[in-house]
Amino acid sequence: MDAIAQLALYEADALLAIAAATDAAGIEAVRIQFLGKKQGRLKDLQALLGQVTPEERPVLGKKFNEVKDRVTAVVEERQATLAQPAAIVDGVDVTLPGTPFSMGHRHPISQTIEEFKSIMVRLGFDPVDGPEIEDEFHNFEALNIPLDHPARDPRDNFYLATAERTFGGPLLMRSQTSTVQIRVMQNTQPPVRIVSIGRVYRPDEMDDTHSCMFHQMEGLMVDKHVTMADLKTVLRLFAQAYLGKDVVIRFRPSFFPFTEPSVEVDMKWGDRWLEIGGAGMVDPNVLKAVGYNPDEVSGFAFGLGVERFCMRRHNNTDIRQFYASDVRFLSQF
Ligand code: DAH
């Protein structure tokens, strides 16, 4: 084979080997094989050039350099390509754009509860929990609601269809968070300053402001010399912290068996008043029922509707939307 053919063969072999190299080590081996200075195919070609006639030498020398430059350029290009991170990792093309996904977040009512808690903690109240399945003692009796009181009517409560009875009577889904007041006072001595937020259940007709399950925030403070003024201050501070300084609330005289005096609390919404809960001074009978001395301590209590505040904050007028599990609605919060 003459020298020209040898050069052509060298170039063809080099290009094939370069294309076959799949990683940095592979292309380096190819470089040494075809362009190595001490030994290898290039060295062999140089030796061949030394044997041609002086007339052929300049032409062949020029061709030799051209081939060498081309192979060098292709090797360098391949080296650069292989130095980049592989696009395919474990069969996945990592350069493709990702699949967008949206983060979930907490339910608006859960967000509201968290915020209520943190406001009340700042006001010095300790968050506590109570059971949603209650007995009549905690839901009614200890709260000074007598056996013949209409609030106990089976048609107004979710009694459980179970034969199980505690010492506190038949079981029901709690209709108010006031039950937690009793549980706390039974287990602690004054001073008491707690807040409890959770679900309550009532067989109400569902409409835009009523749901058979909703949430209440119960607050209780018992200490020496606690007055109605403390109650009003705490409720006003709370409402302002959640809804802003310009929120207007009012107190209307009312009646609850477990408070005396009692008030209902309204909040201004546009030109309407929205009822947001009940409150009052803990009735001496309730204090006695848990073993406190009404001559030594006094207290206030309140129960507020969580949904009502959340609706007002977000200008929502239909409570049912919070429980319809429609992502289009929920994702707005
Ligand atoms: N438990 C009452 C209700 O569900 C609200 C309430 C009124 C709670 C007065 C209280 C209170 O703590 O003192 O309608």
Side-chain angles (χ1 to χ4, degrees):
M1 211 190 308
D2 66 7
I4 297 276
Q6 294 269 20
L7 268 175
L9 185 63
Y10 163 83
E11 184 171 3
D13 283 351
L15 293 179
L16 276 178
I18 292 164
T22 54
D23 55 20
I27 190 65
E28 177 61 6
V30 171
R31 189 190 65 77
I32 291 168
Q33 186 189 352
F34 286 91
L35 297 170
K37 295 217 168 63
K38 296 202 183 94
Q39 57 187 42
R41 299 271 304 255
L42 198 66
K43 243 356 216 168
D44 298 344
L45 280 177
Q46 255 171 339
L48 197 70
L49 275 188
Q51 292 164 17
V52 302
T53 61
E55 297 82 60
E56 288 174 316
R57 198 167 292 148
V59 183
L60 273 175
K62 189 162 170 263
K63 276 228 171 313
F64 174 87
N65 283 330
E66 282 169 6
V67 169
K68 183 181 135 190
D69 287 349
R70 278 204 297 274
V71 170
T72 305
V74 179
V75 164
E76 282 170 359
E77 193 188 305
R78 188 82 183 131
Q79 274 174 329
T81 308
L82 290 175
Q84 281 169 8
I88 307 283
V89 177
D90 291 338
V92 175
D93 184 346
V94 297
T95 64
L96 286 176
T99 312
F101 64 92
S102 54
M103 287 278 280
H105 60 76
R106 309 196 72 181
H107 190 278
I109 298 300
S110 301
Q111 295 179 28
T112 310
I113 290 172
E114 285 308 306
E115 204 173 329
F116 276 25
K117 256 190 217 165
S118 81
I119 294 171
M120 293 308 292
V121 164
R122 269 184 276 147
L123 290 173
F125 289 74
D126 290 329
V128 296
D129 279 325
E132 290 178 21
I133 296 176
E134 266 295 5
D135 52 42
E136 285 194 313
F137 175 77
H138 291 93
N139 201 81
F140 300 123
E141 207 170 305
L143 287 163
N144 206 27
I145 305 174
L147 255 183
D148 56 358
H149 194 282
R152 289 199 182 200
D153 194 320
R155 284 164 301 183
D156 291 334
N157 293 283
F158 287 114
Y159 278 91
L160 298 196
T162 161
E164 194 185 330
R165 277 166 174 267
T166 64
F167 82 94
L171 298 174
L172 70 161
M173 304 306 292
R174 67 178 178 193
S175 63
Q176 49 184 350
T177 45
S178 304
T179 53
V180 186
Q181 293 182 30
I182 304 303
R183 293 189 168 272
V184 169
M185 290 192 286
Q186 281 178 321
N187 295 316
T188 37
Q189 286 305 308
V192 171
R193 218 191 250 216
I194 57 101
V195 64
S196 188
I197 308 175
R199 298 188 184 96
V200 297
Y201 302 84
R202 294 177 193 179
D204 279 344
E205 195 75 45
M206 302 271 284
D207 62 25
D208 53 353
T209 51
H210 293 88
S211 163
C212 51
M213 184 283 294
F214 61 99
H215 295 75
Q216 286 186 329
M217 174 168 81
E218 193 81 14
L220 172 72
M221 177 170 169
V222 183
D223 202 346
K224 291 189 171 118
H225 314 301
V226 174
T227 70
M228 195 88 182
D230 299 316
L231 166 66
K232 294 176 85 170
T233 303
V234 165
L235 286 181
R236 188 160 280 129
L237 286 174
F238 170 78
Q240 288 177 345
Y242 183 70
L243 289 170
K245 281 269 173 281
D246 50 355
V247 64
V248 179
I249 60 173
R250 76 175 180 191
F251 301 81
R252 269 184 297 116
S254 185
F255 174 80
F256 295 102
F258 36 93
T259 43
E260 181 58 36
S262 305
V263 291
E264 258 167 306
V265 190
D266 301 330
M267 172 167 60
K268 193 133 204 221
W269 190 354
D271 48 15
R272 290 193 307 140
W273 287 98
L274 182 71
E275 190 191 321
I276 52 169
M281 300 304 293
V282 182
D283 193 290
N285 286 340
V286 174
L287 295 176
K288 274 189 227 152
V290 296
Y292 287 6
N293 183 351
D295 294 329
E296 279 176 15
V297 291
S298 57
F300 68 70
F302 60 84
L304 304 179
V306 173
E307 281 80 355
R308 297 269 168 106
F309 276 86
C310 181
M311 288 165 76
R312 162 79 203 268
R313 154 87 71 93
H314 299 290
N315 241 320
N316 177 285
T317 50
D318 190 348
I319 193 173
R320 289 167 294 199
Q321 289 183 310
F322 289 111
Y323 302 111
S325 297
D326 185 337
V327 198
R328 291 167 304 179
F329 172 75
L330 296 175
S331 61
Q332 300 175 76
F333 294 88

